[in-house]
Amino acid sequence: MSAHSPASTNSPRTFTLASRASQLAQIQTNQVQKALQDLFVDTTDNVSPSFKTSFMATAGDKNQSQALYLVGGKAFWTKELEVALKEKEVDMLVHSFKDVPTTLPDGCIIGAILEREDPVDSLVVKKGASWKSLDELPAGSVVGTSSVRRVAQLKRKYPHLIFQDVRGNLNTRFSKLDAEDGPFAAIILAKAGVVRLQMGHRITADIPPPTLFPAVSQGALAVEIRSDDEEAIELCRRLMHKETQWICLAERACLRVLEGGCSVPVGISSRLDVEGSDEVLTLTGCVTAIDGSDHVEQTVKEKVSSTEDAEAVGTKLAKLLNENGAARILQAVNQDRAKRAAAEAAAENKS
């Protein structure tokens, strides 16, 4: 029996929420499960739906050796889950929204976007170290991050630091950081994940814009569902957080035009303000060369009254960035990635 089939026509439906198997993904899925259950907390009848969870390893979880920069698109984190969703083995997928491709498979939609946590990136130094910021790290210090976006932006201000890839779930990264014989003086992580994992006490300092612009949709959770599942659509509608929805859809529209995948140096900062009777969306985006030598940054500020308006602001920002040099930078990034991937493949064939 598929995940969406009730035991009988009169039985309440059980929805299966699925995500990756990491501890953080499970925490996030449980958070969405609770939000759904809370919709029915005051219901006394016996026809309320129930919600269970299911967890699976994706290609991104299984491949812990290759640099994310060389792997390519975001489907690395979502493809297996989306297959299960389309085959009706599960009903809802819970994602870190920053890991979701800007174009979804046919038959899949984003049903809910929950209120966003702080999207900022944070510095975590080795346990016992006295440094309080990136500015205090000695020249030659090794900083771990799996994000080419972070490396590209930070090389502009900190050319004296060495940035090295670090893969694994958050617990694994903390272990690699704190190992006495490990190379890392510090690592950089998305603050939202660290806080959700209840490790916020390890954060040394936040690294806000303009030093480091966050990834598109960083800090937000999204629920992906089938486009023909009316019950799931209605449930997710009740979880949607409007401000987060408008901001994230604007950011994703920008990234979609730039054709930036999971590991490209695109950063963005957004704000939705009320000015009199108007809602005003401000987006600042940047695209940075891998070595930090070239950087394009633009801001768009527009009145918005719908998700379509918000997406139009993101599209406008992307076009501005491209017109001012982002297209040139991204072309070089893609050429560099192809060259490195070919070299890695050649090395593997020799071994």
Side-chain angles (χ1 to χ4, degrees):
M1 184 165 54
S2 66
H4 77 297
S5 300
S8 74
T9 54
N10 296 320
S11 299
R13 179 172 165 186
T14 296
F15 290 84
T16 301
L17 284 66
S19 77
R20 295 164 54 198
S22 71
Q23 183 183 0
L24 178 59
Q26 293 190 40
I27 288 171
Q28 293 174 168
T29 303
N30 292 338
Q31 180 181 331
V32 175
Q33 180 189 31
K34 184 179 186 302
L36 287 164
Q37 290 169 336
D38 286 349
L39 296 176
F40 301 93
V41 70
D42 295 325
T43 304
T44 56
D45 58 44
N46 294 318
V47 294
S48 300
S50 57
F51 305 93
K52 66 179 184 177
T53 57
S54 175
F55 304 103
M56 65 181 73
T58 66
D61 298 302
K62 295 169 186 173
N63 182 345
Q64 292 291 324
S65 58
Q66 215 174 0
L68 289 179
Y69 174 61
L70 300 181
V71 171
K74 298 179 181 227
F76 191 54
W77 301 110
T78 60
K79 186 175 181 180
E80 290 90 344
L81 291 163
E82 287 171 336
V83 169
L85 178 66
K86 293 188 74 172
E87 292 182 354
K88 301 185 178 179
E89 295 172 5
V90 302
D91 301 297
M92 299 179 178
L93 305 180
V94 179
H95 300 297
S96 291
F97 207 7
K98 69 181 177 65
D99 293 334
V100 179
T102 55
T103 301
L104 299 179
D106 289 342
C108 298
I109 60 172
I110 297 299
I113 305 168
L114 280 70
E115 185 172 3
R116 191 180 200 174
E117 300 280 352
D118 189 341
V120 76
D121 288 301
S122 296
L123 177 74
V124 180
V125 302
K126 188 186 288 285
K127 191 171 286 186
S130 60
W131 306 302
K132 299 299 182 186
S133 67
L134 280 170
D135 298 280
E136 294 184 11
L137 292 180
S141 295
V142 177
V143 179
T145 175
S146 57
S147 164
V148 69
R149 166 188 59 85
R150 294 177 184 135
V151 173
Q153 292 186 60
L154 292 175
K155 276 186 175 180
R156 298 179 65 229
K157 186 174 180 180
Y158 304 100
H160 57 286
L161 299 178
I162 298 170
F163 296 94
Q164 185 172 312
D165 193 65
V166 57
R167 291 287 310 279
N169 60 40
L170 289 185
N171 290 322
T172 300
R173 295 186 201 192
F174 280 122
S175 296
K176 290 179 178 179
L177 168 65
D178 293 332
E180 289 187 14
D181 58 349
F184 300 108
I187 57 176
I188 299 171
L189 302 166
K191 183 175 186 175
V194 179
V195 170
R196 288 183 186 129
L197 204 58
Q198 298 187 323
M199 296 287 285
H201 61 280
R202 287 298 310 268
I203 292 174
T204 304
D206 293 337
I207 316 173
T211 300
L212 183 54
F213 285 85
V216 165
S217 301
Q218 185 161 295
L221 299 182
V223 182
E224 185 177 358
I225 56 178
R226 292 182 295 276
S227 59
D228 61 354
D229 189 341
E230 296 298 334
E231 290 180 82
I233 290 170
E234 175 57 24
L235 285 170
C236 286
R237 183 191 64 76
R238 297 168 68 183
L239 296 186
M240 186 74 81
H241 185 259
K242 182 191 122 177
E243 179 180 342
T244 302
Q245 178 192 26
W246 286 18
I247 284 175
C248 286
L249 291 183
E251 292 180 359
R252 284 167 62 80
C254 177
L255 186 59
R256 189 180 299 118
V257 174
L258 293 174
E259 296 183 338
C262 192
S263 294
V264 292
V266 175
I268 199 158
S269 179
S270 310
R271 195 175 71 247
L272 185 65
D273 298 308
V274 176
E275 297 184 2
S277 60
D278 298 317
E279 291 181 283
V280 178
L281 180 59
T282 305
L283 294 186
T284 300
C286 69
V287 178
T288 313
I290 299 167
D291 62 0
S293 62
D294 199 357
H295 178 81
V296 178
E297 186 177 315
Q298 295 288 324
T299 298
V300 174
K301 182 177 181 179
E302 300 273 355
K303 294 179 183 177
V304 290
S305 59
S306 66
T307 55
E308 291 78 14
D309 287 350
E311 290 184 313
V313 175
T315 299
K316 182 175 181 178
L317 175 61
K319 290 178 178 176
L320 265 178
L321 287 166
N322 273 334
E323 289 166 2
N324 287 276
R328 177 189 68 248
I329 294 172
L330 291 173
Q331 183 180 19
V333 167
N334 289 330
Q335 290 171 345
D336 178 78
R337 179 187 290 112
K339 182 179 177 181
R340 292 198 203 184
E344 187 174 280
E348 285 183 3
N349 290 335
K350 285 183 180 179
S351 61

